[in-house]
Amino acid sequence: MKLNFIIVDDRELDCFIAEKLILNTGKCNSFKAYDNAIEALQDIKAKEPEKGSLTVLLLDIMMPVMNGFQFIEEFENLPKETKNNYRIISITTSLNKNDISRISTYESVFGVLKKPYSFEAFEEMINNISQES
């Protein structure tokens, strides 16, 4: 199954690395990067859910303006039909176990990867998402 990918991260280098990892999975249908969580959320809200389509959203937890926690809280208020088309993987450099535990409690979060994450860890998570669908 080909997947759509969105990365929301304020660091350009992290977006670049994620794009390379995504393309190397061989499962990428489309890719879009945002350096701003507000803009990503606005686009998700404005887009009609595609039937049979699944989007993996890589979300940095620590960002200025709107952080990953705020994004998830807004995302979880979206209609179920929209949320069902997304699998969110939180990505973080945070060593704070409370941050990781907290983000994992949200229903919309499929998993958490600590930066720098390996291709193998990323690929395993993508394969789990593909098998679930």
Side-chain angles (χ1 to χ4, degrees):
M1 167 186 230
K2 292 281 187 176
L3 302 167
N4 300 314
F5 288 87
I6 294 174
I7 178 146
V8 182
D9 196 318
D10 60 314
R11 294 190 53 205
E12 190 175 322
L13 178 60
D14 289 339
C15 289
F16 176 78
I17 291 168
E19 180 180 12
K20 296 304 173 199
L21 291 174
I22 289 165
L23 294 176
N24 282 329
T25 66
K27 296 185 183 208
C28 182
N29 182 50
S30 68
F31 173 83
K32 182 145 183 168
Y34 295 88
D35 62 1
N36 176 316
I38 293 172
E39 185 180 327
L41 192 58
Q42 288 171 341
D43 282 358
I44 289 168
K45 286 178 179 179
K47 186 178 177 190
E48 278 293 316
E50 291 178 42
K51 295 227 186 265
S53 173
L54 191 60
T55 299
V56 176
L57 195 152
L58 297 169
L59 177 67
D60 188 16
I61 294 175
M62 298 300 166
M63 293 182 289
V65 185
M66 175 184 264
N67 65 37
F69 296 106
Q70 294 164 319
F71 178 94
I72 296 277
E73 287 171 14
E74 291 276 335
F75 182 86
E76 290 202 338
N77 290 323
L78 295 175
K80 187 175 184 171
E81 303 80 42
T82 299
K83 292 188 298 187
N84 287 343
N85 289 325
Y86 292 87
R87 299 296 178 273
I88 297 175
I89 299 173
S90 294
I91 51 177
T92 184
T93 56
S94 177
L95 300 176
N96 185 334
K97 290 181 179 166
N98 291 333
D99 285 345
I100 294 166
S101 293
R102 180 177 164 207
I103 202 75
S104 298
T105 63
Y106 289 97
E107 184 181 319
S108 300
V109 175
F110 183 85
V112 179
L113 290 173
K114 291 183 186 176
K115 293 180 194 178
Y117 47 90
S118 68
F119 175 73
E120 292 77 19
F122 177 73
E123 185 177 45
E124 181 180 344
M125 200 159 292
I126 297 307
N127 287 336
N128 290 340
I129 289 171
S130 293
Q131 291 170 1
E132 167 201 87
S133 305

